[in-house]
C-alpha cells in the first residue's frame, strides 16, 4: 500500500440521471450524459492506517460524522475486496464546491476517492473499471472519472460505466443562488420519485430516447440540438420531481428567473440553454464566444462562474495534499504538512 | 325565441383537468373537481337576430374578431341543433376576469353563454344537460354550471357533466401576478402535452386516483387532505406541462415565490394550499378564519382577492345587461339601454 492523492471535478448532467434500477449496485434506470467541469475540484488523499480498527474520514479539515464515515467505509470495502486486502485507511478530502447545494460534490468526491483508493491499494484498473468502482460510491461519480462530455451507460454491473464522448467545445455558466444544504438529499428524493411518481416509467423510457438523440447531436457537433435537449430534459426532471408525493421542488424563484433570462437572451441571439441538478443553482451552456457576455448578464442572479470541459479524475501531487507516511498510524485527524508525492497516472 | 341574460363565475380546479379523450366532444381524459367562485362573473346576453345572416359577438363592449365569433357560432350551432331552430343571434358578453391570464374566463364565458342561449332558444334543460352543453364550448365551463365545489365526470357525451359535491366551507385567495394574455393557450398547451409528454399516460391514470381521494376528503370535510391533494395535483400538472416538447412553463418566479410563502405560512400554523391554472396567477385555499391574515401577507406578490364558493350559472335580470327587443334586428353592436327582464330559473 501507499499514500495517494487524486483529484476529480464535478460534472453537470445534460441528460439527467434520476432513478436507480438497482439500489445496491447503483445501476441507473436510464443512461445519462454530462460535462465534467474544470473547476470546483475535490482533492482526496488516502493513506494506509494498518494499526487502525476503523477507517477515518476528514472532510475539509474536520472529522466527518459517523454517517459520512460509514458511507466511505462501505465504499472502501469494495476497494479492499477487489484488492484482496483488509487495511483501514485515513481519507482526507477537500471540496471546493458548496456541499449539498445541487453541484454534486458527491460525484467529484467519490471519483477522487475511487481513484486515490484504487492506487493506494495497488489496483491497476482501466478507466472503465475505475468508473464502475466510482459508481458504487455515488452513481454520478462514474461520470467524473471521464474528461469533458461523458456518457454513462445503463446496464448491469459490468456494462454500466461512463466514457468520454466527442462533443463541440462549450462553456457552462454556473449561477450559484443558494449555498445552503438541501432539505432533501438527491438520494432520498430519487427514491421518493420512483416510489410515488406516476410519471416515473415515462421518465425512464423517454430518457433513453433523449440520450440517443443527444449522442447523435454530440457526434454531429450540433450545439443547438445539444442545448434544446439539455434544457428540455432538465425541466422534465424537475417536473418529474415535483410530481412526487409529497411534492419536492428544488428550483426556487431565482432559479426560474434565470431560466427566463436565458430564454430571453436566446431570443436576442445569444444561444444558451439552462439546466439544474437537484438544487436551486442553475448551469447554462453557451458557445465559448458568448460566455463572457451572458455571464455578465447573469450576475444579477447570484455568484457566476464560467467553466469549461475539465479533466477526468487523476492522481496528482500537490503541496499539502498528501498525507506523510509518518502520520498514518494515528487514527485521528492530524495537521497536514508538505507531502510525499503521489505518482501520476496510476490509472493506466 | 326571447332575449335572455345569464351570469356565470369562473371556477378553479382543485383536481386539475388537463387533456382530452375526445377533441370534438370535449370529453376529458380524466375527471376533475373545482370551486366555482363568487367573484369575477361573466354576464352574457343572447338576443334573437332573425334577419341576420351571421351570429354577432360583442365582447366587453367591442366587436369580437372573426376567430372568437366563429368559436361562439360553432357553439351556438349545438344549441340550434338541440332546439331544432336556425335563427342567428347577437351575443353580448362582459367579463370581469382578466382574459387569458389563467383565471379561466372561457369557463365562465361558455357557462353563461350556454345558460343564456338555451333559454333564448326555449330549451328546457336539466342542470346536467346544461353542463353537458357548456362542456361543448369549453371543457371547464361545464363546472361553472354548478355551484361551489363541483366534480366533472370523465365518460362519454351522455355521462360527462359536472355536479355539486358537499365540501367544507373554504376561502380562496387569488393572487393576480400578471394580467397579460398567455403566450400559449390552454387548448394548444393541452394538445402539445398529450402529443409529446412521456408523462401523459401516468398523469391521466393518477388523476382519477386523486379524484377518488379528493371526493372522500370532501365528503369527510377534511380540509387538510383537500389542501394536500390540491397543491400536490397542481404541482404535478405544472410538472407535466413542463415535460412537453418544447417545454411550456406557465408559472413565473413570482408564482413560485407564492407557493413558497404559502408553505412557510403553513409551517407557522396557517393552513393553506396553493394551486395554479394554465397561467402565472396563484389561488390559495384556506379556512375562512385564516383568510384575512393570509391575504394580508400575500399582497406582497400581486393583487389579492379573497373569494368564496359562488353560485352556479343562472339567468338573471340586471340593469343594462340585456338587449332590448327593438335592437335585435341590427346585426351590429348597439348601445345597451335599460333592459327587458330575463326570467330567473330558466334551468329548471
Amino acid at each position: 500500500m501507499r499514500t495517494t492523492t487524486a483529484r476529480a471535478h464535478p460534472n453537470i448532467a445534460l441528460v439527467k440521471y434520476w432513478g436507480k434500477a438497482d439500489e445496491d449496485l447503483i445501476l441507473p434506470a436510464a443512461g445519462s450524459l454530462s460535462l465534467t467541469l474544470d473547476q470546483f475540484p475535490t482533492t482526496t488523499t488516502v493513506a494506509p492506517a494498518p494499526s487502525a480498527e476503523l477507517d477515518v474520514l476528514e472532510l475539509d479539515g474536520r472529522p466527518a460524522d459517523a454517517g459520512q464515515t460509514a458511507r466511505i467505509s462501505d465504499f472502501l470495502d469494495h476497494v479492499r475486496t477487489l484488492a484482496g486486502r483488509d487495511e483501514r485507511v485515513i481519507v482526507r478530502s477537500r471540496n471546493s464546491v458548496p456541499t449539498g447545494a445541487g453541484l454534486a460534490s458527491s460525484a467529484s468526491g467519490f471519483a477522487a476517492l475511487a481513484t486515490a483508493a484504487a492506487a493506494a491499494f495497488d489496483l491497476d484498473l482501466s478507466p472503465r473499471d475505475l468508473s464502475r468502482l466510482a459508481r458504487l460510491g455515488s452513481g454520478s461519480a462514474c461520470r467524473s472519472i471521464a474528461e469533458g462530455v461523458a456518457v454513462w451507460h445503463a446496464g448491469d454491473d459490468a456494462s454500466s460505466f461512463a466514457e468520454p464522448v466527442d462533443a463541440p467545445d462549450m462553456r457552462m455558466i454556473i449561477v450559484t443562488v443558494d449555498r445552503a444544504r438541501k432539505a432533501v438529499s438527491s438520494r432520498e428524493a430519487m427514491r421518493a420519485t420512483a416510489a410515488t411518481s406516476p410519471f416515473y416509467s415515462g421518465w425512464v423510457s423517454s430518457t433513453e430516447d433523449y440520450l440517443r438523440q443527444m449522442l447523435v447531436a454530440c457526434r454531429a457537433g450540433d450545439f443547438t440540438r445539444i442545448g434544446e435537449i439539455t434544457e428540455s430534459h432538465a425541466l422534465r426532471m424537475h417536473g418529474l420531481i415535483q410530481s412526487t408525493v409529497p411534492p419536492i421542488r428544488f428550483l426556487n424563484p431565482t432559479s426560474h428567473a434565470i431560466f427566463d433570462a436565458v430564454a430571453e437572451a436566446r431570443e436576442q441571439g445569444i444561444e444558451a440553454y439552462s439546466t439544474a441538478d437537484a438544487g436551486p443553482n442553475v448551469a447554462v451552456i453557451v458557445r465559448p464566444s458568448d460566455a463572457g457576455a451572458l455571464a455578465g448578464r447573469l450576475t444579477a442572479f447570484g455568484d457566476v462562474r464560467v467553466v469549461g470541459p475539465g479533466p477526468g479524475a487523476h492522481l496528482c501531487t500537490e503541496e499539502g495534499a498528501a498525507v506523510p507516511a509518518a502520520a498514518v498510524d494515528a487514527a485521528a485527524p492530524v495537521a497536514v504538512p508538505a507531502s510525499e508525492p503521489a505518482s501520476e497516472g496510476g490509472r493506466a
Side-chain angles (χ1 to χ4, degrees), chain A:
Chain A
M1 282 199 71
R2 59 197 171 117
T3 294
T4 55
T5 295
R7 179 166 299 150
H9 291 77
N11 67 77
I12 303 280
L14 308 183
V15 173
K16 299 294 188 191
Y17 156 51
W18 197 261
K20 296 181 176 71
D22 186 308
E23 287 262 352
D24 294 326
L25 293 170
I26 312 194
L27 297 172
S32 57
L33 182 137
S34 61
L35 180 71
T36 296
L37 311 183
D38 60 0
Q39 291 181 40
F40 310 119
T42 297
T43 306
T44 298
T45 297
V46 174
S51 67
E53 291 197 4
L54 297 170
D55 297 311
V56 174
L57 171 64
E58 188 187 294
L59 280 179
D60 294 322
R62 285 186 293 199
D65 67 32
Q68 290 167 320
T69 304
R71 187 170 171 196
I72 296 300
S73 210
D74 287 349
F75 176 76
L76 290 165
D77 287 344
H78 292 296
V79 184
R80 284 185 277 258
T81 300
L82 281 174
R85 307 182 66 119
D86 60 6
E87 291 95 335
R88 303 292 116 179
V89 295
I90 299 176
V91 175
R92 288 193 174 77
S93 189
R94 289 195 176 270
N95 279 314
S96 56
V97 51
T99 302
L103 276 175
S105 60
S106 65
S108 53
F110 277 99
L113 177 62
T115 303
F121 280 93
D122 301 316
L123 285 167
D124 185 22
L125 300 181
S126 67
R128 179 176 297 200
D129 285 343
L130 196 56
S131 177
R132 291 174 52 226
L133 175 61
R135 193 198 74 219
L136 296 171
S138 175
S140 58
C142 77
R143 296 186 310 225
S144 282
I145 297 296
E147 66 179 350
V149 174
V151 58
W152 173 17
H153 306 286
D156 58 21
D157 182 41
S159 62
S160 184
F161 58 86
E163 59 185 340
V165 169
D166 281 336
D169 193 21
M170 63 180 96
R171 295 293 173 271
M172 187 176 264
I173 303 170
I174 313 261
V175 191
T176 305
V177 302
D178 188 357
R179 290 178 177 271
R181 186 173 276 275
K182 294 181 287 195
V184 186
S185 75
S186 298
R187 196 169 271 223
E188 288 164 47
M190 213 179 261
R191 212 170 270 159
T193 303
T196 70
S197 171
F199 297 168
Y200 185 66
S201 66
W203 162 257
V204 170
S205 56
S206 66
T207 294
E208 284 289 350
D209 285 345
Y210 260 18
L211 180 59
R212 276 188 288 273
Q213 294 177 44
M214 181 63 110
L215 289 169
V216 170
C218 285
R219 264 181 239 121
D222 185 346
F223 178 74
T224 300
R225 189 69 192 123
I226 290 169
E228 287 170 351
I229 295 171
T230 296
E231 186 165 305
S232 177
H233 202 250
L235 288 170
R236 189 174 284 183
M237 181 181 79
H238 287 278
L240 168 75
I241 293 169
Q242 204 167 285
S243 75
T244 56
V245 183
I248 298 170
R249 292 184 302 136
F250 284 122
L251 302 180
N252 69 21
T254 306
S255 321
H256 287 280
I258 297 168
F259 272 77
D260 289 344
V262 168
E264 196 187 335
R266 208 153 57 215
E267 282 166 17
Q268 295 164 357
I270 299 181
E271 217 186 336
Y273 301 89
S274 303
T275 186
D277 281 342
N281 299 324
V282 177
V284 181
I285 60 169
V286 63
R287 293 183 202 277
S289 55
D290 288 330
L294 186 59
R297 286 184 180 216
L298 297 178
T299 54
F301 300 102
D303 279 358
V304 165
R305 290 278 280 272
V306 180
V307 303
H314 53 278
L315 290 170
C316 58
T317 62
E318 193 188 40
E319 293 274 314
V323 177
V328 299
D329 276 1
V334 295
V336 180
S339 65
E340 147 183 305
S343 71
E344 193 77 40
R347 274 166 57 182

